Amino acid sequence: MAYQVIARKFRPQSFNEFVRQEHVTQTLINALASDRFPHALLLTGPRGTGKTTTARIIAKTLICSNSQDNHPCNECQNCVDVNEGRHLDIIEIDVASNNGVDHIRELRDTVGYMHTSGKYKIYIIDEVHMLSTSAFNALLKTLEEPPEHVVFIFATTEVQKIPATILSRCQRFDFRNHTLNDLKNHLAKICTQESIEYDESAVWLIDKQAKGTIRDSLTLLDQILLVIKNFLWMP
């Protein structure tokens, strides 16, 4: 089996596994519990703070066959398919490579089709700020009057580039950078789980370099472990 990087191995699979961001996760849980979930969400904030991961957890919770206290069970077939990136009712679009009006028109033509399982058809659109003006205009009508079974989840690092007409039709959630203490505790926990011996001063240095993002801290940890292994294997 191919090596799985630490950032992917320890990606949260439910809201309970998140590091901080309670102002976002608890609001979303409350919305699910009250059955007042919006048809369009905008997740914004610095890179590496959990926006795309949150989008996937929301999608998984909405279509989970056995959700428990508004958390995905991660055991039913729907959850397994989402975790493996092959659920037909969850469509992820990376706008960095699909930012033209034709892609949005294609999306607009397919939203009317019903879901195959669960209750919803969910579109996750990452880096949505990179859509062209014509693509935003094409999206607007669908966003104004979406079918009842469709949920849009947008993620962006540059919310100021999104037209006000789009913003006004979404519920916005702002993610924050993590504190040094958040990063230190999370990194120490992972090192313990992976049986990695560490010095607290080294963990602090990694966290300072990561500048508030968990993903960067885990990527740095992976790089350091690789360097150490190569050094130990040197003749």
Side-chain angles (χ1 to χ4, degrees):
M1 181 177 178
Y3 174 70
Q4 189 175 38
V5 297
I6 291 175
R8 289 191 61 190
K9 184 175 181 179
F10 288 93
R11 175 176 285 163
Q13 296 299 329
S14 71
F15 293 122
N16 289 331
E17 298 176 13
F18 252 79
V19 179
R20 298 297 182 181
Q21 311 296 0
E22 293 94 343
H23 63 291
V24 173
T25 58
Q26 190 57 54
T27 303
L28 291 169
I29 291 170
N30 292 343
L32 289 163
S34 62
D35 200 26
R36 295 176 60 87
F37 204 80
H39 72 272
L41 294 86
L42 176 67
L43 312 180
T44 180
R47 63 184 179 82
T49 51
K51 298 183 297 299
T52 305
T53 297
T54 298
R56 290 170 180 163
I57 293 174
I58 293 169
K60 184 164 54 176
T61 305
L62 287 172
I63 66 170
C64 177
S65 303
N66 188 33
S67 61
Q68 302 164 357
D69 297 324
N70 300 298
H71 293 273
C73 69
N74 282 307
E75 295 178 357
C76 68
Q77 191 59 53
N78 281 334
C79 284
V80 170
D81 288 345
V82 175
N83 289 339
E84 295 179 358
R86 54 184 171 86
H87 200 289
L88 296 177
D89 292 333
I90 298 178
I91 299 95
E92 290 196 35
I93 301 171
D94 179 11
V95 178
S97 54
N98 300 284
N99 64 352
V101 66
D102 290 340
H103 295 102
I104 298 303
R105 284 174 178 161
E106 183 180 346
L107 179 155
R108 190 177 60 188
D109 291 340
T110 61
V111 292
Y113 297 138
M114 293 299 292
H115 41 78
T116 60
S117 62
K119 296 180 180 179
Y120 298 97
K121 191 172 186 178
I122 302 160
Y123 291 86
I124 299 173
I125 304 182
D126 205 6
E127 298 300 343
V128 67
H129 67 272
M130 297 182 71
L131 283 175
S132 64
T133 301
S134 55
F136 272 125
N137 290 336
L139 178 63
L140 185 58
K141 182 63 176 176
T142 302
L143 205 57
E144 282 180 328
E145 300 174 3
E148 291 186 1
H149 64 276
V150 171
V151 173
F152 289 100
I153 307 175
F154 305 124
T156 180
T157 53
E158 299 186 48
V159 69
Q160 73 280 2
K161 293 184 178 180
I162 298 177
T165 50
I166 299 293
L167 289 174
S168 66
R169 289 163 174 81
C170 302
Q171 284 198 16
R172 173 175 166 175
F173 296 87
D174 287 71
F175 287 69
R176 304 165 184 161
N177 272 327
H178 294 88
T179 66
L180 275 174
N181 202 49
D182 291 337
L183 296 177
K184 179 183 77 69
N185 291 338
H186 189 60
L187 212 62
K189 178 181 176 181
I190 287 175
C191 285
T192 300
Q193 287 181 252
E194 292 290 283
S195 301
I196 300 169
E197 294 184 17
Y198 67 94
D199 186 274
E200 283 200 12
S201 60
V203 171
W204 274 111
L205 286 173
I206 292 174
D207 295 337
K208 285 181 180 180
Q209 188 65 31
K211 298 179 180 178
T213 73
I214 284 182
R215 185 175 63 206
D216 284 3
S217 69
L218 298 182
T219 299
L220 284 168
L221 176 62
D222 248 331
Q223 291 174 338
I224 290 168
L225 293 175
L226 180 61
V227 169
I228 291 172
K229 280 187 177 181
N230 287 338
F231 178 78
L232 292 175
W233 289 343
M234 287 176 62

